[in-house]
């Protein structure tokens, strides 16, 4: 396979169809002598004569017939792969608007970088999604896809790659009795009034992110929640990267044992799936693998 020239293969395939060097040259936009040169190079590479030529006719040798039977479907597969890649690339060019909930952390930025490197013709824009409305921007068409906290149980939304599985921490005021603890159990956290997202976040989603027997205040944004935490109004569950990003002196972040990890997923509207969205999902899958 070393040094294999695709032009040699194309010349042989066209010649096998035309059985005429002149017509083959016309189809390939080269001279008749160039077709002969390419054929000789291919025969030398293979080590067998593929075509018999006399003054009256051109025909394939038995070796040529066997080679044609193997080559034709393989070449068609290769040609189709190239055409599909071209079509996908053209379909990806343009603008992709991505929403994110919480923090645009390293895994998300790595996925965006991988996508941009692979598709330089597509401009990527990012927009923050309110804590209390994880799915609204996708439904309203404000973003093409969004990276949100799971779970997602919306029938009109498609869930793509799942990534950034992180341990949970609980944000507490430095004055809270649990603030000095090295870690807390899920049962202990359940005794703390937990800040939750306000509507329109669905109830099942709110219950996962504020599993407390003593409900706390509801908020629209993450910053509102942390402000209430600092004021001693309750605790707030956050993944470790988000906790580290939003560190502040009046709030501590205590690891929690026994709760499911925080997980992000890529979602988009089922009616709005495009090649750009699929390409970004592939980029996320590549980074998360």
């Amino acid at each position: 396979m070393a040094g294999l020239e695709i032009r040699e293969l194309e010349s042989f395939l066209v010649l096998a169809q035309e059985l005429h060097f002149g017509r083959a040259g016309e189809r390939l936009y080269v001279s008749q002598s160039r077709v002969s040169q390419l054929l000789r190079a291919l025969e030398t590479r293979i080590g067998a004569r593929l075509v018999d030529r006399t003054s009256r006719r051109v025909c394939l040798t038995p070796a040529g017939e066997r080679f044609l039977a193997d080559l034709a479907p393989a070449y068609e597969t290769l040609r189709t792969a190239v055409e599909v890649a071209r079509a996908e690339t053209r379909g990806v060019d343009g603008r992709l608007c991505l929403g994110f909930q919480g923090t645009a952390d390293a895994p998300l930025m790595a996925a965006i970088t991988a996508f941009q490197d692979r598709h330089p013709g597509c401009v990527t824009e990012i927009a923050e999604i309110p804590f209390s409305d994880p799915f609204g921007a996708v439904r309203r068409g404000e973003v093409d896809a969004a990276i949100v906290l799971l779970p997602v149980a919306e029938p009109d939304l498609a869930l793509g790659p799942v990534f950034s599985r992180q341990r949970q921490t609980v944000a507490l005021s430095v004055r809270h009795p649990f603030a000095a603890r090295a870690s807390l159990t899920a049962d202990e956290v359940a005794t703390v009034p937990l800040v939750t997202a306000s509507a329109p976040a669905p109830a099942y989603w709110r219950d996962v992110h504020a599993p407390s027997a003593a409900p706390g205040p509801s908020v629209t944004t993450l910053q509102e929640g942390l402000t209430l935490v600092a004021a001693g109004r309750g605790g707030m569950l956050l993944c470790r990267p988000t906790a580290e990003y939003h560190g502040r002196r009046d709030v501590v972040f205590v690891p929690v044992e026994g709760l499911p990890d925080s997980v992000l997923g890529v979602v988009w509207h089922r009616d709005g799936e495009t090649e750009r969205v699929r390409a970004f999902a592939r980029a996320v899958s590549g980074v998360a693998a």
Side-chain angles (χ1 to χ4, degrees):
M1 291 293 291
L4 183 63
E5 293 288 343
I6 193 70
R7 198 60 168 164
E8 295 174 3
L9 302 178
E10 291 174 338
S11 297
F12 171 73
L13 288 169
V14 173
L15 183 60
Q17 292 173 353
E18 297 292 342
L19 296 178
H20 190 282
F21 280 81
R23 290 195 297 271
E26 290 175 1
R27 282 183 55 184
L28 294 165
Y29 298 99
V30 298
S31 66
Q32 181 174 327
S33 61
R34 178 58 177 160
V35 176
S36 297
Q37 182 184 24
L38 291 167
L39 176 63
R40 285 196 301 272
L42 181 60
E43 290 176 328
T44 299
R45 194 183 306 280
I46 291 174
R49 195 170 74 256
L50 302 175
V51 173
D52 277 334
R53 175 171 58 173
T54 68
S55 59
R56 295 186 176 181
R57 70 187 187 97
V58 174
C59 64
L60 298 181
T61 66
E65 294 282 2
R66 291 192 297 271
F67 183 59
L68 176 63
D70 291 336
L71 175 63
Y75 179 82
E76 182 60 25
T77 298
L78 177 62
R79 187 192 65 79
T80 300
V82 171
E83 289 303 316
V84 168
R86 285 176 177 169
E88 288 182 351
T89 299
R90 289 193 295 269
V92 171
D93 286 353
R95 169 183 167 274
L96 179 70
C97 187
L98 299 170
F100 71 93
Q101 190 181 34
T103 304
D105 60 3
L108 171 58
M109 296 312 299
I112 292 175
T113 299
F115 174 79
Q116 296 259 219
D117 290 346
R118 196 173 304 167
H119 303 288
C122 184
V123 176
T124 305
E125 300 175 357
I126 59 174
E128 186 174 1
I129 291 174
F131 177 64
S132 64
D133 193 11
F135 312 125
V138 173
R139 287 198 170 111
R140 293 188 295 272
E142 297 168 359
V143 298
D144 300 299
I147 294 85
V148 299
L149 287 163
L150 300 188
V152 176
E154 310 300 300
D156 58 333
L157 300 184
L159 174 62
V162 172
F163 69 109
S164 192
R165 191 176 298 275
Q166 301 286 343
R167 186 182 182 186
Q168 297 268 30
T169 70
V170 60
L172 297 168
S173 165
V174 294
R175 301 182 302 277
H176 194 280
F178 288 155
R181 293 280 297 275
S183 66
L184 294 172
T185 66
D187 289 341
E188 288 172 320
V189 169
T191 67
V192 178
L194 292 180
V195 174
T196 187
S198 60
Y204 73 86
W205 192 91
R206 297 198 302 267
D207 290 344
V208 168
H209 296 288
S212 175
S218 60
V219 298
T220 300
T221 69
L222 186 60
Q223 288 301 329
E224 289 176 9
L226 287 173
T227 299
L228 289 175
V229 168
R233 297 280 304 280
M236 190 173 188
L237 287 179
L238 297 171
C239 68
R240 182 178 294 276
T242 299
E244 292 174 350
Y245 182 83
H246 291 283
R248 45 190 293 172
R249 285 181 292 183
D250 50 359
V251 173
V252 297
F253 299 94
V254 182
V256 180
E257 307 287 350
L259 284 181
D261 290 342
S262 169
V263 185
L264 296 177
V266 182
V267 299
W268 58 86
H269 201 284
R270 294 186 185 278
D271 294 336
E273 183 172 327
T274 65
E275 185 53 41
R276 280 189 286 272
V277 170
R278 289 190 290 269
F280 179 72
R282 290 193 292 271
V284 172
S285 296
V287 170

